[in-house]
mmCIF file of all heavy atoms in Angstrom:
data_model
loop_
_atom_site.group_PDB
_atom_site.id
_atom_site.type_symbol
_atom_site.label_atom_id
_atom_site.label_comp_id
_atom_site.label_asym_id
_atom_site.label_seq_id
_atom_site.Cartn_x
_atom_site.Cartn_y
_atom_site.Cartn_z
ATOM 1 N N ALA A 137 -78.969 66.322 161.633
ATOM 2 C CA ALA A 137 -80.107 65.400 161.647
ATOM 3 C C ALA A 137 -79.952 64.286 162.664
ATOM 4 O O ALA A 137 -80.943 63.721 163.134
ATOM 5 C CB ALA A 137 -80.303 64.812 160.252
ATOM 6 N N SER A 138 -78.717 63.961 163.032
ATOM 7 C CA SER A 138 -78.497 62.802 163.905
ATOM 8 C C SER A 138 -79.151 62.954 165.269
ATOM 9 O O SER A 138 -79.496 61.964 165.920
ATOM 10 C CB SER A 138 -76.996 62.546 164.086
ATOM 11 O OG SER A 138 -76.385 63.558 164.866
ATOM 12 N N GLN A 139 -79.366 64.195 165.716
ATOM 13 C CA GLN A 139 -79.958 64.413 167.042
ATOM 14 C C GLN A 139 -81.481 64.313 167.032
ATOM 15 O O GLN A 139 -82.136 64.527 168.052
ATOM 16 C CB GLN A 139 -79.522 65.764 167.599
ATOM 17 C CG GLN A 139 -79.995 66.959 166.806
ATOM 18 C CD GLN A 139 -79.426 68.261 167.321
ATOM 19 O OE1 GLN A 139 -79.317 68.466 168.525
ATOM 20 N NE2 GLN A 139 -79.044 69.146 166.425
ATOM 21 N N TYR A 140 -82.042 63.973 165.874
ATOM 22 C CA TYR A 140 -83.495 63.843 165.758
ATOM 23 C C TYR A 140 -83.908 62.403 165.461
ATOM 24 O O TYR A 140 -84.899 62.167 164.766
ATOM 25 C CB TYR A 140 -84.021 64.789 164.676
ATOM 26 C CG TYR A 140 -83.825 66.241 165.047
ATOM 27 C CD1 TYR A 140 -82.758 66.966 164.529
ATOM 28 C CD2 TYR A 140 -84.681 66.868 165.945
ATOM 29 C CE1 TYR A 140 -82.553 68.287 164.898
ATOM 30 C CE2 TYR A 140 -84.482 68.193 166.321
ATOM 31 C CZ TYR A 140 -83.415 68.899 165.786
ATOM 32 O OH TYR A 140 -83.216 70.204 166.162
ATOM 33 N N LEU A 141 -83.161 61.442 165.996
ATOM 34 C CA LEU A 141 -83.526 60.038 165.847
ATOM 35 C C LEU A 141 -84.659 59.723 166.817
ATOM 36 O O LEU A 141 -84.462 59.708 168.033
ATOM 37 C CB LEU A 141 -82.320 59.134 166.139
ATOM 38 C CG LEU A 141 -82.615 57.631 166.136
ATOM 39 C CD1 LEU A 141 -82.845 57.131 164.721
ATOM 40 C CD2 LEU A 141 -81.471 56.851 166.797
ATOM 41 N N PRO A 142 -85.879 59.453 166.314
ATOM 42 C CA PRO A 142 -86.995 59.164 167.216
ATOM 43 C C PRO A 142 -87.089 57.673 167.532
ATOM 44 O O PRO A 142 -86.586 56.831 166.787
ATOM 45 C CB PRO A 142 -88.204 59.611 166.402
ATOM 46 C CG PRO A 142 -87.808 59.328 164.983
ATOM 47 C CD PRO A 142 -86.311 59.542 164.913
ATOM 48 N N ALA A 143 -87.738 57.359 168.625
ATOM 49 C CA ALA A 143 -87.952 55.950 168.969
ATOM 50 C C ALA A 143 -88.711 55.227 167.868
ATOM 51 O O ALA A 143 -88.502 54.036 167.625
ATOM 52 C CB ALA A 143 -88.700 55.850 170.295
ATOM 53 N N ALA A 144 -89.577 55.963 167.154
ATOM 54 C CA ALA A 144 -90.354 55.350 166.082
ATOM 55 C C ALA A 144 -89.482 54.889 164.925
ATOM 56 O O ALA A 144 -89.903 54.036 164.123
ATOM 57 C CB ALA A 144 -91.393 56.345 165.569
ATOM 58 N N ALA A 145 -88.256 55.427 164.822
ATOM 59 C CA ALA A 145 -87.361 55.040 163.726
ATOM 60 C C ALA A 145 -86.548 53.790 164.043
ATOM 61 O O ALA A 145 -85.828 53.275 163.177
ATOM 62 C CB ALA A 145 -86.417 56.193 163.404
ATOM 63 N N LEU A 146 -86.626 53.285 165.273
ATOM 64 C CA LEU A 146 -85.859 52.100 165.642
ATOM 65 C C LEU A 146 -86.329 50.879 164.850
ATOM 66 O O LEU A 146 -87.531 50.665 164.680
ATOM 67 C CB LEU A 146 -86.011 51.799 167.136
ATOM 68 C CG LEU A 146 -85.470 52.836 168.122
ATOM 69 C CD1 LEU A 146 -85.804 52.411 169.546
ATOM 70 C CD2 LEU A 146 -83.967 53.016 167.953
ATOM 71 N N ASP A 147 -85.388 50.106 164.392
ATOM 72 C CA ASP A 147 -85.700 48.802 163.808
ATOM 73 C C ASP A 147 -85.735 47.822 164.973
ATOM 74 O O ASP A 147 -84.718 47.257 165.375
ATOM 75 C CB ASP A 147 -84.638 48.413 162.780
ATOM 76 C CG ASP A 147 -84.985 47.155 161.999
ATOM 77 O OD1 ASP A 147 -85.677 46.287 162.573
ATOM 78 O OD2 ASP A 147 -84.567 47.041 160.833
ATOM 79 N N GLU A 148 -86.925 47.630 165.541
ATOM 80 C CA GLU A 148 -87.045 46.852 166.773
ATOM 81 C C GLU A 148 -86.673 45.395 166.566
ATOM 82 O O GLU A 148 -86.090 44.761 167.454
ATOM 83 C CB GLU A 148 -88.457 46.986 167.337
ATOM 84 C CG GLU A 148 -88.788 48.423 167.758
ATOM 85 C CD GLU A 148 -90.056 48.525 168.583
ATOM 86 O OE1 GLU A 148 -90.722 47.484 168.800
ATOM 87 O OE2 GLU A 148 -90.376 49.646 169.047
ATOM 88 N N ALA A 149 -86.981 44.856 165.399
ATOM 89 C CA ALA A 149 -86.626 43.466 165.114
ATOM 90 C C ALA A 149 -85.110 43.291 165.063
ATOM 91 O O ALA A 149 -84.568 42.289 165.539
ATOM 92 C CB ALA A 149 -87.259 43.018 163.796
ATOM 93 N N MET A 150 -84.425 44.290 164.505
ATOM 94 C CA MET A 150 -82.965 44.237 164.430
ATOM 95 C C MET A 150 -82.354 44.252 165.833
ATOM 96 O O MET A 150 -81.426 43.485 166.132
ATOM 97 C CB MET A 150 -82.434 45.421 163.607
ATOM 98 C CG MET A 150 -80.921 45.473 163.489
ATOM 99 S SD MET A 150 -80.335 46.963 162.619
ATOM 100 C CE MET A 150 -80.709 46.535 160.918
ATOM 101 N N ILE A 151 -82.883 45.096 166.699
ATOM 102 C CA ILE A 151 -82.363 45.188 168.066
ATOM 103 C C ILE A 151 -82.566 43.876 168.816
ATOM 104 O O ILE A 151 -81.657 43.374 169.483
ATOM 105 C CB ILE A 151 -83.049 46.348 168.812
ATOM 106 C CG1 ILE A 151 -82.629 47.691 168.202
ATOM 107 C CG2 ILE A 151 -82.709 46.314 170.306
ATOM 108 C CD1 ILE A 151 -83.461 48.863 168.658
ATOM 109 N N ALA A 152 -83.755 43.309 168.696
ATOM 110 C CA ALA A 152 -84.055 42.060 169.402
ATOM 111 C C ALA A 152 -83.259 40.891 168.850
ATOM 112 O O ALA A 152 -83.080 39.884 169.543
ATOM 113 C CB ALA A 152 -85.551 41.758 169.293
ATOM 114 N N ASP A 153 -82.756 41.045 167.629
ATOM 115 C CA ASP A 153 -82.049 39.952 166.961
ATOM 116 C C ASP A 153 -80.538 40.102 167.045
ATOM 117 O O ASP A 153 -79.811 39.478 166.277
ATOM 118 C CB ASP A 153 -82.470 39.898 165.489
ATOM 119 C CG ASP A 153 -82.730 38.468 165.014
ATOM 120 O OD1 ASP A 153 -82.577 37.533 165.831
ATOM 121 O OD2 ASP A 153 -83.062 38.294 163.837
ATOM 122 N N ALA A 154 -80.056 40.945 167.964
ATOM 123 C CA ALA A 154 -78.616 41.174 168.107
ATOM 124 C C ALA A 154 -78.115 40.645 169.440
ATOM 125 O O ALA A 154 -78.723 40.902 170.479
ATOM 126 C CB ALA A 154 -78.302 42.666 167.992
ATOM 127 N N ALA A 155 -77.002 39.930 169.422
ATOM 128 C CA ALA A 155 -76.424 39.427 170.669
ATOM 129 C C ALA A 155 -76.046 40.578 171.587
ATOM 130 O O ALA A 155 -76.200 40.497 172.806
ATOM 131 C CB ALA A 155 -75.203 38.563 170.365
ATOM 132 N N ILE A 156 -75.557 41.681 170.982
ATOM 133 C CA ILE A 156 -75.141 42.845 171.762
ATOM 134 C C ILE A 156 -75.716 44.100 171.127
ATOM 135 O O ILE A 156 -75.581 44.325 169.915
ATOM 136 C CB ILE A 156 -73.606 42.961 171.822
ATOM 137 C CG1 ILE A 156 -72.993 41.752 172.541
ATOM 138 C CG2 ILE A 156 -73.177 44.255 172.519
ATOM 139 C CD1 ILE A 156 -71.479 41.688 172.457
ATOM 140 N N LEU A 157 -76.350 44.934 171.932
ATOM 141 C CA LEU A 157 -76.756 46.283 171.531
ATOM 142 C C LEU A 157 -75.680 47.235 172.035
ATOM 143 O O LEU A 157 -75.384 47.269 173.231
ATOM 144 C CB LEU A 157 -78.112 46.637 172.142
ATOM 145 C CG LEU A 157 -78.560 48.098 171.972
ATOM 146 C CD1 LEU A 157 -78.863 48.406 170.514
ATOM 147 C CD2 LEU A 157 -79.770 48.394 172.862
ATOM 148 N N TYR A 158 -75.093 48.004 171.124
ATOM 149 C CA TYR A 158 -73.979 48.900 171.463
ATOM 150 C C TYR A 158 -74.446 50.347 171.321
ATOM 151 O O TYR A 158 -74.903 50.760 170.248
ATOM 152 C CB TYR A 158 -72.805 48.619 170.522
ATOM 153 C CG TYR A 158 -71.566 49.443 170.772
ATOM 154 C CD1 TYR A 158 -70.731 49.169 171.848
ATOM 155 C CD2 TYR A 158 -71.203 50.473 169.903
ATOM 156 C CE1 TYR A 158 -69.567 49.902 172.059
ATOM 157 C CE2 TYR A 158 -70.049 51.217 170.106
ATOM 158 C CZ TYR A 158 -69.239 50.927 171.183
ATOM 159 O OH TYR A 158 -68.082 51.658 171.389
ATOM 160 N N LEU A 159 -74.357 51.110 172.404
ATOM 161 C CA LEU A 159 -74.860 52.472 172.432
ATOM 162 C C LEU A 159 -73.725 53.475 172.589
ATOM 163 O O LEU A 159 -72.814 53.285 173.393
ATOM 164 C CB LEU A 159 -75.844 52.645 173.597
ATOM 165 C CG LEU A 159 -77.050 51.699 173.597
ATOM 166 C CD1 LEU A 159 -77.865 51.898 174.859
ATOM 167 C CD2 LEU A 159 -77.909 51.922 172.360
ATOM 168 N N GLU A 160 -73.824 54.555 171.846
ATOM 169 C CA GLU A 160 -72.808 55.605 171.837
ATOM 170 C C GLU A 160 -73.198 56.729 172.789
ATOM 171 O O GLU A 160 -74.248 57.357 172.631
ATOM 172 C CB GLU A 160 -72.673 56.139 170.409
ATOM 173 C CG GLU A 160 -71.746 57.307 170.237
ATOM 174 C CD GLU A 160 -71.785 57.845 168.816
ATOM 175 O OE1 GLU A 160 -71.976 57.051 167.866
ATOM 176 O OE2 GLU A 160 -71.618 59.069 168.664
ATOM 177 N N GLY A 161 -72.340 56.998 173.768
ATOM 178 C CA GLY A 161 -72.630 58.028 174.754
ATOM 179 C C GLY A 161 -72.850 59.405 174.160
ATOM 180 O O GLY A 161 -73.654 60.190 174.665
ATOM 181 N N TYR A 162 -72.134 59.722 173.067
ATOM 182 C CA TYR A 162 -72.304 61.029 172.431
ATOM 183 C C TYR A 162 -73.767 61.299 172.093
ATOM 184 O O TYR A 162 -74.232 62.439 172.145
ATOM 185 C CB TYR A 162 -71.498 61.100 171.128
ATOM 186 C CG TYR A 162 -70.021 61.285 171.289
ATOM 187 C CD1 TYR A 162 -69.126 60.453 170.609
ATOM 188 C CD2 TYR A 162 -69.499 62.303 172.076
ATOM 189 C CE1 TYR A 162 -67.755 60.628 170.732
ATOM 190 C CE2 TYR A 162 -68.125 62.489 172.201
ATOM 191 C CZ TYR A 162 -67.262 61.647 171.524
ATOM 192 O OH TYR A 162 -65.901 61.825 171.636
ATOM 193 N N LEU A 163 -74.518 60.262 171.718
ATOM 194 C CA LEU A 163 -75.892 60.436 171.268
ATOM 195 C C LEU A 163 -76.860 60.597 172.436
ATOM 196 O O LEU A 163 -78.047 60.824 172.237
ATOM 197 C CB LEU A 163 -76.306 59.254 170.379
ATOM 198 C CG LEU A 163 -77.544 59.439 169.499
ATOM 199 C CD1 LEU A 163 -77.401 60.641 168.588
ATOM 200 C CD2 LEU A 163 -77.820 58.185 168.683
ATOM 201 N N TRP A 164 -76.367 60.472 173.663
ATOM 202 C CA TRP A 164 -77.239 60.631 174.825
ATOM 203 C C TRP A 164 -77.610 62.089 175.049
ATOM 204 O O TRP A 164 -78.578 62.401 175.750
ATOM 205 C CB TRP A 164 -76.551 60.069 176.071
ATOM 206 C CG TRP A 164 -77.484 59.750 177.194
ATOM 207 C CD1 TRP A 164 -77.779 60.533 178.284
ATOM 208 C CD2 TRP A 164 -78.265 58.559 177.351
ATOM 209 N NE1 TRP A 164 -78.671 59.898 179.095
ATOM 210 C CE2 TRP A 164 -78.989 58.681 178.546
ATOM 211 C CE3 TRP A 164 -78.410 57.392 176.584
ATOM 212 C CZ2 TRP A 164 -79.849 57.692 179.009
ATOM 213 C CZ3 TRP A 164 -79.259 56.407 177.038
ATOM 214 C CH2 TRP A 164 -79.971 56.553 178.233
ATOM 215 N N ASP A 165 -76.872 63.008 174.462
ATOM 216 C CA ASP A 165 -77.060 64.424 174.745
ATOM 217 C C ASP A 165 -78.417 64.954 174.262
ATOM 218 O O ASP A 165 -79.140 65.567 175.047
ATOM 219 C CB ASP A 165 -75.912 65.230 174.141
ATOM 220 C CG ASP A 165 -75.630 66.506 174.917
ATOM 221 O OD1 ASP A 165 -75.495 66.439 176.148
ATOM 222 O OD2 ASP A 165 -75.566 67.568 174.287
ATOM 223 N N PRO A 166 -78.807 64.736 173.010
ATOM 224 C CA PRO A 166 -80.112 65.247 172.573
ATOM 225 C C PRO A 166 -81.258 64.399 173.130
ATOM 226 O O PRO A 166 -81.137 63.175 173.263
ATOM 227 C CB PRO A 166 -80.043 65.136 171.035
ATOM 228 C CG PRO A 166 -78.612 64.838 170.715
ATOM 229 C CD PRO A 166 -78.059 64.130 171.894
ATOM 230 N N ALA A 167 -82.385 65.035 173.422
ATOM 231 C CA ALA A 167 -83.489 64.356 174.100
ATOM 232 C C ALA A 167 -84.124 63.243 173.268
ATOM 233 O O ALA A 167 -84.443 62.171 173.800
ATOM 234 C CB ALA A 167 -84.550 65.385 174.485
ATOM 235 N N GLU A 168 -84.315 63.488 171.965
ATOM 236 C CA GLU A 168 -85.048 62.505 171.155
ATOM 237 C C GLU A 168 -84.298 61.177 171.024
ATOM 238 O O GLU A 168 -84.867 60.116 171.291
ATOM 239 C CB GLU A 168 -85.375 63.099 169.782
ATOM 240 C CG GLU A 168 -86.492 62.348 169.075
ATOM 241 C CD GLU A 168 -87.069 63.132 167.903
ATOM 242 O OE1 GLU A 168 -86.415 64.091 167.433
ATOM 243 O OE2 GLU A 168 -88.176 62.790 167.453
ATOM 244 N N PRO A 169 -83.015 61.182 170.637
ATOM 245 C CA PRO A 169 -82.310 59.900 170.585
ATOM 246 C C PRO A 169 -82.067 59.281 171.960
ATOM 247 O O PRO A 169 -81.947 58.063 172.077
ATOM 248 C CB PRO A 169 -80.988 60.247 169.885
ATOM 249 C CG PRO A 169 -80.834 61.711 170.032
ATOM 250 C CD PRO A 169 -82.223 62.280 170.065
ATOM 251 N N ARG A 170 -82.006 60.110 173.005
ATOM 252 C CA ARG A 170 -81.878 59.559 174.354
ATOM 253 C C ARG A 170 -83.097 58.697 174.680
ATOM 254 O O ARG A 170 -82.966 57.587 175.210
ATOM 255 C CB ARG A 170 -81.720 60.686 175.374
ATOM 256 C CG ARG A 170 -81.511 60.193 176.797
ATOM 257 C CD ARG A 170 -80.975 61.277 177.690
ATOM 258 N NE ARG A 170 -81.901 62.368 177.918
ATOM 259 C CZ ARG A 170 -81.737 63.613 177.471
ATOM 260 N NH1 ARG A 170 -80.675 63.943 176.762
ATOM 261 N NH2 ARG A 170 -82.632 64.557 177.734
ATOM 262 N N ALA A 171 -84.274 59.191 174.331
ATOM 263 C CA ALA A 171 -85.494 58.404 174.536
ATOM 264 C C ALA A 171 -85.486 57.154 173.672
ATOM 265 O O ALA A 171 -85.927 56.074 174.101
ATOM 266 C CB ALA A 171 -86.718 59.256 174.225
ATOM 267 N N ALA A 172 -84.956 57.274 172.452
ATOM 268 C CA ALA A 172 -84.880 56.117 171.559
ATOM 269 C C ALA A 172 -83.956 55.049 172.138
ATOM 270 O O ALA A 172 -84.254 53.849 172.076
ATOM 271 C CB ALA A 172 -84.397 56.555 170.181
ATOM 272 N N MET A 173 -82.838 55.481 172.712
ATOM 273 C CA MET A 173 -81.901 54.511 173.280
ATOM 274 C C MET A 173 -82.463 53.844 174.524
ATOM 275 O O MET A 173 -82.212 52.657 174.767
ATOM 276 C CB MET A 173 -80.550 55.179 173.550
ATOM 277 C CG MET A 173 -79.769 55.452 172.273
ATOM 278 S SD MET A 173 -78.021 55.847 172.543
ATOM 279 C CE MET A 173 -78.174 57.515 173.141
ATOM 280 N N ARG A 174 -83.225 54.580 175.308
ATOM 281 C CA ARG A 174 -83.880 53.949 176.468
ATOM 282 C C ARG A 174 -84.851 52.864 176.000
ATOM 283 O O ARG A 174 -84.927 51.779 176.593
ATOM 284 C CB ARG A 174 -84.627 55.012 177.284
ATOM 285 C CG ARG A 174 -83.716 55.938 178.088
ATOM 286 C CD ARG A 174 -84.550 56.806 179.017
ATOM 287 N NE ARG A 174 -83.748 57.763 179.769
ATOM 288 C CZ ARG A 174 -83.087 57.488 180.884
ATOM 289 N NH1 ARG A 174 -83.115 56.249 181.368
ATOM 290 N NH2 ARG A 174 -82.401 58.429 181.514
ATOM 291 N N ARG A 175 -85.571 53.158 174.933
ATOM 292 C CA ARG A 175 -86.475 52.162 174.366
ATOM 293 C C ARG A 175 -85.687 50.960 173.844
ATOM 294 O O ARG A 175 -86.077 49.806 174.048
ATOM 295 C CB ARG A 175 -87.297 52.797 173.239
ATOM 296 C CG ARG A 175 -88.124 51.828 172.392
ATOM 297 C CD ARG A 175 -89.159 51.098 173.218
ATOM 298 N NE ARG A 175 -89.955 50.198 172.381
ATOM 299 C CZ ARG A 175 -90.656 49.177 172.862
ATOM 300 N NH1 ARG A 175 -90.695 48.939 174.170
ATOM 301 N NH2 ARG A 175 -91.355 48.414 172.044
ATOM 302 N N ALA A 176 -84.565 51.223 173.205
ATOM 303 C CA ALA A 176 -83.739 50.141 172.665
ATOM 304 C C ALA A 176 -83.199 49.247 173.775
ATOM 305 O O ALA A 176 -83.134 48.016 173.613
ATOM 306 C CB ALA A 176 -82.590 50.727 171.849
ATOM 307 N N ILE A 177 -82.805 49.849 174.899
ATOM 308 C CA ILE A 177 -82.331 49.053 176.038
ATOM 309 C C ILE A 177 -83.434 48.106 176.506
ATOM 310 O O ILE A 177 -83.199 46.918 176.756
ATOM 311 C CB ILE A 177 -81.867 49.968 177.185
ATOM 312 C CG1 ILE A 177 -80.581 50.706 176.800
ATOM 313 C CG2 ILE A 177 -81.640 49.156 178.467
ATOM 314 C CD1 ILE A 177 -80.170 51.786 177.792
#
Side-chain angles (χ1 to χ4, degrees):
S138 70
Q139 64 186 320
Y140 295 99
L141 175 73
L146 296 176
D147 187 330
E148 296 192 357
M150 179 185 284
I151 292 168
D153 224 0
I156 297 171
L157 171 68
Y158 181 75
L159 303 175
E160 175 186 327
Y162 284 130
L163 197 57
W164 200 263
D165 209 50
E168 199 165 17
R170 183 164 67 248
M173 287 195 285
R174 287 189 183 278
R175 170 62 179 160
I177 291 171

